[in-house]
Amino acid sequence: MWPEGALLLLTLVQLVPTRGQYDMCKSLVSTDEGAVWEHYACQPKSSSMKEYMRIRVDPPGITCGNPPERFCTLENPYLCSDECDASNPDLAHPPQLMQDRERSGLITYWQTVTWSRYPEPLLANITLSWNKSLELTDDIQITFEYGRPTIMVLDKSLNYGRSWQPYQYYADDCMEAFNMEPKRVRDLNAASATRVICTEQYSRWVGSKNEKTVRFEVRSRFAIFAGPRLLNMDALYTRMESMKGLRDFFTFTNLRLRLLRPALGGTYVQRDNLLKYFYAISNIEVSARCKCNLHASQCVFEDDNLQCVCEHNTTGQDCNRCKKGFKAKSWKAGSYLPTPNGTPNTCSQAGTTSGSNCECNGHSNRCSYIDYLNIVTCVSCKHNTRGQNCQHCRMGYFRNASAELDDESVCIECNCNQMGSLHDRCNGTGFCQCKEGTTGVKCDECAPGYYWKQGCYPNVCDEELLLCQNGGTCYQSQRCICPPDFKGVLCQQSRCGDSKRCSSASMPALSLALLLLCPLLNILLGCATSAP
Ligand SMILES: *[C@@H]1O[C@H](CO)[C@@H](O)[C@H](O)[C@H]1NC(C)=O
Ligand SMILES: *[C@@H]1O[C@H](CO)[C@@H](O)[C@H](O)[C@H]1NC(C)=O
Ligand SMILES: *[C@@H]1O[C@H](CO)[C@@H](O)[C@H](O)[C@H]1NC(C)=O
Ligand SMILES: *[C@@H]1O[C@H](CO)[C@@H](O)[C@H](O)[C@H]1NC(C)=O
Ligand SMILES: *[C@@H]1O[C@H](CO)[C@@H](O)[C@H](O)[C@H]1NC(C)=O
Ligand SMILES: [Ca+2]
């Protein structure tokens, strides 16, 4: 179907000028002033994504044939003449047979080892990745040969596999397997269209030849809004604009099938014939379009990756940024509304109003002419920026050296310590201006010789120069704790003085321990002040 070569167009060039919805980004229209381009919201056509998916199966060794293994079928468990042998191309069942194009009716499939280690569960994960955000346009269909799993989960990731969420649960008994009420997509309504359900519809045993498909229903969910034959797509697109979750629900970068229990062909596992239990998948059909934020009508497969061919002066894998030199406004996705052509929300060139350059670096959508200065300036700069072109950081913020000028995180808060700094501004590398005795980038540390107590204060005492005397101890550099007979900042002054009213004065050899007992001694030994 696709020509050989590095660059494959997913969207066929339209030879006939019939126009589907949102499939053109621009067209030349004639006006009184000659031909001009008109721009529209646009999106690539839906296509089969199975050829572009990377498949990974886990755990290692789950694929059958190494060593070669015999297997039986559920329909005829006593005829076990089939063999899987990874070293023989005719008998091998590698993962890529889930995505091949089957010629001349020959079914090819990936197959796992048999459940010979029962009762240990037979588990397999199939991870499908595209390295591109995609939007489902039709049902996902997985074709199982030799029976559909009795327990399985479909997961999806929106962030290239960093995190996953369940998409749909499948079991022949949802209550038993997942403690969930069984549901069908047809039971859902506009309010519950994006609910993650468990369905029993695709897991019951009906014979392996009769029903091979497990679906993730997309069309029935679309039909909730667009009607049973999807004739009113405008209603669906309108909903997608007003319900952000609806659009995200159909968006993914990766899918994962967690196969948790194979087909049993009955209620129980027969331990005497475990060679008839395994998984086999012949095809995984994923119909989707590249997510290009309504800024591209084509998506190409280039250097092994899908890539939107961005229009409207946007760029990025998903057309999710404005091109350099087109950042007069912040980037915005195109909109399906108003139907039928939508709004392109194009990125526009640095303005030329009054000959003045009014590029706002993507931090503002508005400019204003200041009469007495004869300049055009950006107004309401966002993201903590300021300036004629929103090119500076606001007071209290500094420039993020690793961010481009149009990055939302271009300005970083100074975060100066309120107690330790003179004000909340900082210099170009984030250094705050510190009060005396305070140091550190944010002024939250004390210089040597200072202690922290809601700001830095000079030490009253320490272990070097400002020693507490006469046996006093230094408490957190803040004060000396003096023995009872001494006072003064460094306990340098005797309380007893000349009046010899303190016992310790007449007992110079008294140890520190006894000194601390002085109040007690006063009572016992009668050295109290009022002794006759
Ligand atoms: C399948 O993926 C899940 C989620 O990452 C993981 O917990 C589980 O161990 C995997 N199973 C196998 C058989 O690799
Ligand atoms: C994923 O796509 C991005 C953008 O096209 C590319 O830079 C990156 O190398 C791709 N990663 C892999 C693993 O192919
Ligand atoms: C994008 O920029 C080019 C100039 O490089 C201009 O001709 C074109 O009309 C712009 N497209 C849009 C949608 O603004
Ligand atoms: C600086 O910008 C980079 C690039 O956008 C961003 O990843 C980082 O989080 C920013 N740093 C801070 C502190 O905001
Ligand atoms: C900010 O202040 C620090 C410390 O005084 C200094 O090292 C740095 O060079 C200053 N940065 C700028 C951009 O002035
Ligand atoms: Ca196949």
Side-chain angles (χ1 to χ4, degrees):
M1 192 170 164
W2 310 113
E4 300 293 334
L7 182 85
L8 298 178
L9 283 185
L10 290 192
T11 318
L12 297 174
V13 176
Q14 286 210 287
L15 301 174
V16 221
T18 55
R19 189 157 124 59
Q21 217 174 354
Y22 306 115
D23 64 357
M24 272 200 313
C25 295
K26 60 184 172 196
S27 83
L28 208 51
V29 295
S30 55
T31 67
D32 292 345
E33 285 131 48
V36 295
W37 287 105
E38 253 184 16
H39 300 276
Y40 318 107
C42 50
Q43 61 187 6
K45 280 205 169 40
S46 165
S47 63
S48 166
M49 290 295 169
K50 86 172 175 192
E51 334 207 354
Y52 310 106
M53 70 191 178
R54 288 166 211 167
I55 302 184
R56 182 198 150 102
V57 297
D58 284 301
I62 187 71
T63 301
C64 67
N66 185 19
E69 187 180 15
R70 269 186 325 111
F71 61 93
C72 323
T73 65
L74 290 166
E75 261 86 9
N76 193 344
Y78 303 105
L79 191 69
C80 301
S81 51
D82 283 333
E83 197 183 341
C84 175
D85 182 351
S87 63
N88 178 341
D90 290 335
L91 300 176
H93 293 280
Q96 62 265 32
L97 297 183
M98 291 185 269
Q99 69 182 141
D100 60 339
R101 267 172 276 146
E102 291 165 359
R103 280 167 243 269
S104 62
L106 179 73
I107 293 173
T108 57
Y109 51 92
W110 167 73
Q111 187 175 324
T112 67
V113 295
T114 61
W115 202 358
S116 51
R117 297 169 81 170
Y118 179 88
E120 197 181 299
L122 181 62
L123 304 176
N125 284 353
I126 304 166
T127 309
L128 312 172
S129 23
W130 285 269
N131 191 24
K132 172 80 189 80
S133 303
L134 303 174
E135 295 169 332
L136 287 172
T137 51
D138 207 334
D139 295 3
I140 298 172
Q141 291 181 54
I142 306 133
T143 311
F144 286 88
E145 305 297 325
Y146 303 106
R148 303 174 296 183
T150 46
I151 308 182
M152 163 183 141
V153 184
L154 175 67
D155 294 327
K156 77 161 181 175
S157 169
L158 275 163
N159 53 15
Y160 308 95
R162 254 170 279 141
S163 64
W164 293 87
Q165 49 195 285
Y167 218 1
Q168 193 149 306
Y169 294 89
Y170 300 84
D172 57 355
D173 185 337
C174 282
M175 227 34 203
E176 177 217 50
F178 299 112
N179 200 21
M180 290 171 81
E181 284 291 344
K183 280 223 156 42
R184 285 168 171 244
V185 172
R186 79 158 85 110
D187 303 330
L188 301 178
N189 55 37
S192 61
T194 60
R195 187 168 297 169
V196 175
I197 59 166
C198 178
T199 180
E200 297 179 348
Q201 205 178 345
Y202 304 103
S203 311
R204 294 234 176 89
W205 176 250
V206 289
S208 69
K209 302 269 178 357
N210 295 338
E211 196 42 276
K212 297 181 168 188
T213 316
V214 173
R215 282 172 191 274
F216 176 77
E217 303 92 333
V218 171
R219 289 181 76 85
S220 325
R221 284 180 167 94
F222 284 175
I224 295 171
F225 306 100
R229 295 173 58 205
L230 305 188
L231 292 178
N232 188 3
M233 288 300 276
D234 278 2
L236 173 66
Y237 289 134
T238 302
R239 237 0 140 93
M240 287 203 171
E241 287 294 340
S242 60
M243 247 173 97
K244 185 181 179 294
L246 183 62
R247 206 150 163 198
D248 287 348
F249 182 78
F250 298 106
T251 307
F252 62 99
T253 57
N254 306 49
L255 296 171
R256 179 170 66 196
L257 289 170
R258 280 190 278 140
L259 308 179
L260 300 174
R261 195 174 67 193
L264 305 182
T267 319
Y268 302 105
V269 176
Q270 282 182 305
R271 309 189 67 138
D272 57 348
N273 189 352
L274 295 170
L275 300 188
K276 62 180 179 175
Y277 304 118
F278 53 88
Y279 306 101
I281 297 179
S282 57
N283 196 36
I284 299 179
E285 202 58 68
V286 179
S287 295
R289 67 165 53 97
C290 291
K291 177 187 168 84
C292 302
N293 288 297
L294 294 175
H295 289 311
S297 62
Q298 295 192 334
C299 187
V300 293
F301 191 62
E302 204 174 6
D303 304 329
D304 276 345
N305 277 300
L306 290 165
Q307 164 79 48
C308 299
V309 181
C310 300
E311 300 270 357
H312 303 157
N313 290 314
T314 61
T315 185
Q317 204 184 10
D318 303 345
C319 307
N320 49 342
R321 297 198 305 272
C322 288
K323 262 176 134 160
K324 263 210 150 39
F326 291 89
K327 290 173 178 170
K329 301 180 289 184
S330 5
W331 175 90
K332 249 180 117 173
S335 167
Y336 285 119
L337 299 179
T339 56
N341 286 333
T343 312
N345 291 330
T346 59
C347 290
S348 45
Q349 204 158 9
T352 46
T353 331
S354 310
S356 182
N357 177 0
C358 191
E359 147 123 41
C360 298
N361 291 299
H363 303 304
S364 169
N365 288 333
R366 280 170 53 214
C367 291
S368 149
Y369 176 67
I370 302 179
D371 209 5
Y372 64 95
L373 293 173
N374 189 28
I375 56 160
V376 177
T377 181
C378 303
V379 289
S380 313
C381 294
K382 286 181 297 190
H383 313 134
N384 304 308
T385 61
R386 64 175 181 88
Q388 193 181 349
N389 307 106
C390 304
Q391 79 276 37
H392 299 304
C393 288
R394 263 175 53 195
M395 289 294 201
Y397 292 80
F398 68 106
R399 178 68 203 275
N400 179 348
S402 53
E404 298 261 357
L405 197 48
D406 61 332
D407 199 309
E408 284 192 11
S409 48
V410 64
C411 293
I412 304 173
E413 199 172 354
C414 291
N415 238 329
C416 300
N417 188 293
Q418 282 195 354
M419 315 286 186
S421 55
L422 290 170
H423 46 71
D424 57 10
R425 302 187 295 277
C426 56
N427 78 3
T429 42
F431 282 82
C432 302
Q433 239 189 316
C434 301
K435 290 181 184 163
E436 196 193 328
T438 314
T439 182
V441 179
K442 303 298 171 200
C443 307
D444 50 4
E445 291 161 32
C446 290
Y450 290 81
Y451 69 93
W452 183 269
K453 193 181 182 189
Q454 300 189 329
C456 295
Y457 295 91
N459 287 352
V460 172
C461 55
D462 60 27
E463 306 299 325
E464 288 167 24
L465 299 170
L466 299 165
L467 284 171
C468 299
Q469 297 167 24
N470 295 312
T473 53
C474 183
Y475 173 73
Q476 294 184 353
S477 309
Q478 294 173 23
R479 60 191 166 92
C480 290
I481 299 176
C482 299
D485 286 354
F486 292 94
K487 61 182 185 178
V489 176
L490 295 175
C491 314
Q492 74 279 25
Q493 232 180 320
S494 166
R495 281 187 196 277
C496 306
D498 295 331
S499 62
K500 304 220 173 202
R501 293 200 313 204
C502 194
S503 61
S504 61
S506 54
M507 290 185 278
L510 217 58
S511 71
L512 173 64
L514 284 172
L515 273 173
L516 292 173
L517 288 172
C518 195
L520 186 61
L521 290 173
N522 276 349
I523 296 164
L524 293 178
L525 303 177
C527 73
T529 48
S530 59

